[in-house]
Amino acid sequence: MRSAQTKGSKQFGKGTAVLLAAMLIASGCGNGNNGGKNESASSGSPTASPSGSAGASPAASQQPDGGSETKDFVKLSWYMPKPIDNMKDQDAVEAEANKMIKEKLNAELHFNLIDTAGWEDKMKLISAAGEPYDLVFTTYSMNRINDNVQKGAFLPLDDLLQKYGQDILKKVDPRAWKAVTYKGKIMAIPAQTPYSPGSAHVFKKDLVEKYNFDYKNVKSIKDLEPYLAMIKKNEPNMIPLLATANGTASGITLYDYTTLSPGISYSEKDGKIVKILDVEQNKENYRTINDFYKKGYIAKDAAIKTDYLAEAKSGKYAVMRDSGGYTEDGSKSTATYGFPTVETLTGYPTISTNSMTAAATAISATSKNPERAMMLLNEIWKDKYLLNTLAYGVEGKNYTVKAGKVTDDNPTIEAKSGAEQTWAIWHNWLGPLWDQWDSNWNSTAALEAMRKNNENGKASGALGFIFNPEPVKTEIAQVSAIQKESNPILTTGSMTDFDKYYTDLQKKLVDAGIDKILAEVQKQFDAWKAENQ
């Protein structure tokens, strides 16, 4: 998928912006993705649940062969946020896809695409009203899986997967079932998506060549300073470092800390749960950003800029972060930003419950046809042509074939972009990312690199832990409100007195109840850990 066209990246909060960035990587926003299958999951069935009970092995069940189970024609509805603003070809794409769906399942699919600004409120209203629908997009932070499970909005999927989901079970990473299992029941289908997407400093290639800067030896954000100073002195039309209100500068992320709740993280080094602002390295990183801001390396109005991607694509910044994942040759950022770039890796986050639920699909508890809904999902995971039609659209209208044929296992296509793009659904919003055709969204090589990185990535010590925010929802709302106000200042370094601002912010969070949140997270984590030892 291409983040340039994702309205949600502007309108969701910082946590969701990170989520969308991950989904961009995964689905097709840059230009490098894979087309292979997840070999590590090829024989998988749902793994042990967070409570430690082993999931049933659906692999022994047989797939239905149609007959009486698909005798009656049904209409299926699927709710999603709008991937791009202009989806005017929806009727044509659905008509093409429904030829296959009708033939194989005697069903018809219709997408209900909601503007991102109203997505959360719309789904809450639908849920509260008990409105019948079949499928829905859900994540750890948008239309939250946890919230929907708590209010009974989603259907348990174990039996449906055993009977109708064999192709899904063959391809989902077995570890990911932990992230969607509640009290022993699978409540959503986790997508193939980058669980540990590499992040990088991105440099305009012409500038590093002009100043012969050894960008490959940048190990920390402080290592950037000599180059930023050089750009500030010699390139009056360039801004040395990009940071925006909802987009941190490259090199700020703490990869050894996994977020469990707003302001609360799990330390992978020592297994402790901490307030993230109390972590000394976090404080020092923000101090460095403040120093850079004061020296003029960051735009004076950075705190009111909200579209990181648009700023990066303007070409007026010397150093940015990647958009869509690190590629050693800089090809992904080059394609995304529209000018030649080079990159140096800053690190990989641990694989967490959140990263494994950056994109998932659930079946509504109000669905009148849950069996057919699962059959449809399984067909999407099984049939590459159906998957890629739903994602890319109609040949000749939304994309052109550059090599091979769409009936082949892996053709190369060119999807329309920018103002000409009138349809897109990111592959991991549908489920099987690794079956994406090679394209300008993601190359097969880049997808393969993401898949291998998933297989080799380090799992968080808190993988499988799902925090229930209900006991401290008031405090979480208060902390989130403070973060919404403070994040633009922190991420851009645009405070006058750093130490005073930082200390005052810590006190505000304490007054808002962050210590109560910490205690509740610790309590639930200890109980979860005791059950899983």
Side-chain angles (χ1 to χ4, degrees):
M1 81 205 214
R2 215 177 330 266
S3 62
Q5 287 118 1
T6 328
K7 195 175 178 184
S9 63
K10 305 178 205 173
Q11 295 170 338
F12 295 131
K14 183 181 177 186
T16 309
V18 174
L19 157 71
L20 286 172
M23 294 190 296
L24 296 177
I25 304 165
S27 18
C29 23
N31 85 327
N33 246 23
N34 128 340
K37 303 229 174 101
N38 189 339
E39 294 166 1
S40 69
S42 60
S43 61
S45 59
T47 59
S49 73
S51 62
S53 59
S57 177
S61 304
Q62 296 299 313
Q63 286 291 91
D65 57 358
S68 62
E69 292 176 300
T70 57
K71 175 172 61 71
D72 297 325
F73 175 75
V74 301
K75 294 184 177 182
L76 300 172
S77 58
W78 194 334
Y79 276 92
M80 277 185 188
K82 254 187 179 181
I84 60 173
D85 289 339
N86 186 359
M87 297 287 278
K88 76 172 188 178
D89 286 338
Q90 181 172 352
D91 288 346
V93 176
E94 287 182 356
E96 182 67 23
N98 279 328
K99 292 176 186 177
M100 294 171 267
I101 296 169
K102 176 71 165 64
E103 178 184 353
K104 295 183 179 182
L105 304 176
N106 195 23
E108 178 179 290
L109 170 64
H110 174 67
F111 287 105
N112 293 289
L113 301 171
I114 311 300
D115 285 337
T116 52
W119 166 246
E120 294 280 359
D121 290 340
K122 177 69 173 178
M123 292 316 302
K124 287 176 183 176
L125 287 172
I126 289 171
S127 179
E131 181 179 321
Y133 69 94
D134 300 293
L135 297 160
V136 67
F137 179 73
T138 181
T139 79
Y140 76 89
S141 69
M142 286 198 298
N143 190 36
R144 287 167 47 92
I145 297 175
N146 188 62
D147 293 348
N148 281 286
V149 170
Q150 297 298 326
K151 61 189 179 187
F154 291 169
L155 200 66
L157 302 181
D158 304 74
D159 292 342
L160 290 169
L161 280 164
Q162 288 185 35
K163 195 168 184 181
Y164 305 113
Q166 295 302 298
D167 293 282
I168 296 170
L169 294 166
K170 289 174 184 177
K171 294 182 179 181
V172 169
D173 187 322
R175 298 170 296 176
W177 294 113
K178 289 183 179 181
V180 294
T181 301
Y182 293 74
K183 296 182 179 179
K185 296 292 184 181
I186 296 169
M187 302 305 295
I189 296 171
Q192 292 173 337
T193 204
Y195 299 146
S196 180
S199 186
H201 298 294
V202 175
F203 304 85
K204 286 197 74 182
K205 188 176 181 181
D206 59 343
L207 290 176
V208 295
E209 290 178 346
K210 179 177 179 179
Y211 294 104
N212 196 28
F213 179 62
D214 186 8
Y215 67 92
K216 290 185 177 181
N217 275 325
V218 173
K219 306 300 181 186
S220 72
I221 189 168
K222 289 187 176 181
D223 293 340
L224 289 172
E225 177 150 21
Y227 183 63
L228 300 178
M230 191 182 305
I231 297 298
K232 173 70 175 173
K233 179 180 179 181
N234 299 304
E235 300 288 340
N237 295 322
M238 296 295 299
I239 299 170
L241 181 64
L242 174 56
T244 64
N246 56 2
T248 60
S250 61
I252 291 296
T253 303
L254 298 180
Y255 297 110
D256 290 327
Y257 290 85
T258 299
T259 301
L260 302 179
S261 179
I264 306 296
S265 294
Y266 173 81
S267 170
E268 302 293 343
K269 290 181 178 179
D270 56 23
K272 293 181 179 179
I273 295 173
V274 299
K275 294 182 286 188
I276 195 65
L277 285 187
D278 288 355
V279 175
E280 191 59 30
Q281 186 58 57
N282 196 36
K283 183 176 182 179
E284 287 309 304
N285 284 346
Y286 284 127
R287 187 191 298 278
T288 299
I289 290 296
N290 175 243
D291 181 52
F292 286 178
Y293 180 83
K294 289 177 177 176
K295 290 177 177 176
Y297 303 157
I298 295 172
K300 290 299 181 185
D301 61 347
I304 62 171
K305 295 180 183 295
T306 58
D307 193 334
Y308 188 97
L309 188 63
E311 291 298 316
K313 292 179 75 172
S314 72
K316 62 185 180 184
Y317 296 89
V319 182
M320 302 146 284
R321 67 164 192 269
D322 63 83
S323 180
Y326 164 73
T327 50
E328 187 173 0
D329 62 358
S331 58
K332 200 163 190 44
S333 290
T334 293
T336 303
Y337 293 153
F339 48 81
T341 66
V342 292
E343 302 183 33
T344 185
L345 183 70
T346 58
Y348 293 97
T350 54
I351 296 174
S352 65
T353 304
N354 286 356
S355 65
M356 283 189 156
T357 51
T361 303
I363 295 179
S364 171
T366 63
S367 173
K368 295 179 179 179
N369 298 287
E371 296 85 2
R372 209 77 61 91
M374 181 60 76
M375 289 183 197
L376 173 62
L377 291 175
N378 192 72
E379 197 64 33
I380 291 170
W381 284 76
K382 176 183 179 180
D383 187 329
K384 284 187 179 181
Y385 182 71
L386 175 58
L387 163 71
N388 284 287
T389 295
L390 292 173
Y392 289 120
V394 179
E395 182 180 1
K397 179 185 285 287
N398 307 108
Y399 70 87
T400 55
V401 178
K402 310 302 286 186
K405 298 178 180 178
V406 294
T407 52
D408 294 343
D409 190 51
N410 194 28
T412 296
I413 68 134
E414 178 83 15
K416 289 185 178 179
S417 60
E420 295 183 344
Q421 189 173 31
T422 50
W423 178 261
I425 293 181
W426 318 133
H427 286 72
N428 61 337
W429 289 22
L430 296 164
L433 173 61
W434 311 141
D435 287 342
Q436 180 178 356
W437 289 335
D438 184 73
S439 75
N440 54 316
W441 283 11
N442 282 302
S443 71
T444 298
L447 276 167
E448 182 66 16
M450 292 179 200
R451 184 182 65 82
K452 288 183 177 179
N453 191 52
N454 276 6
E455 293 174 2
N456 299 326
K458 177 186 174 184
S460 167
L463 179 60
F465 172 64
I466 301 168
F467 176 57
N468 175 15
E470 188 63 25
V472 286
K473 63 182 181 181
T474 299
E475 289 77 13
I476 288 175
Q478 292 170 172
V479 166
S480 297
I482 292 170
Q483 288 183 325
K484 184 178 181 180
E485 179 183 315
S486 64
N487 282 341
I489 308 300
L490 283 175
T491 59
T492 60
S494 50
M495 67 282 288
T496 304
D497 185 330
F498 175 80
D499 286 304
K500 184 180 187 305
Y501 184 88
Y502 204 90
T503 301
D504 288 349
L505 178 57
Q506 288 174 304
K507 184 179 184 303
K508 283 182 182 179
L509 291 172
V510 169
D511 293 343
I514 196 169
D515 288 334
K516 186 176 178 181
I517 299 172
L518 176 62
E520 183 62 32
V521 173
Q522 187 72 61
K523 175 186 172 183
Q524 292 185 30
F525 182 80
D526 290 343
W528 169 81
K529 195 171 182 180
E531 288 179 358
N532 287 276
Q533 282 181 336

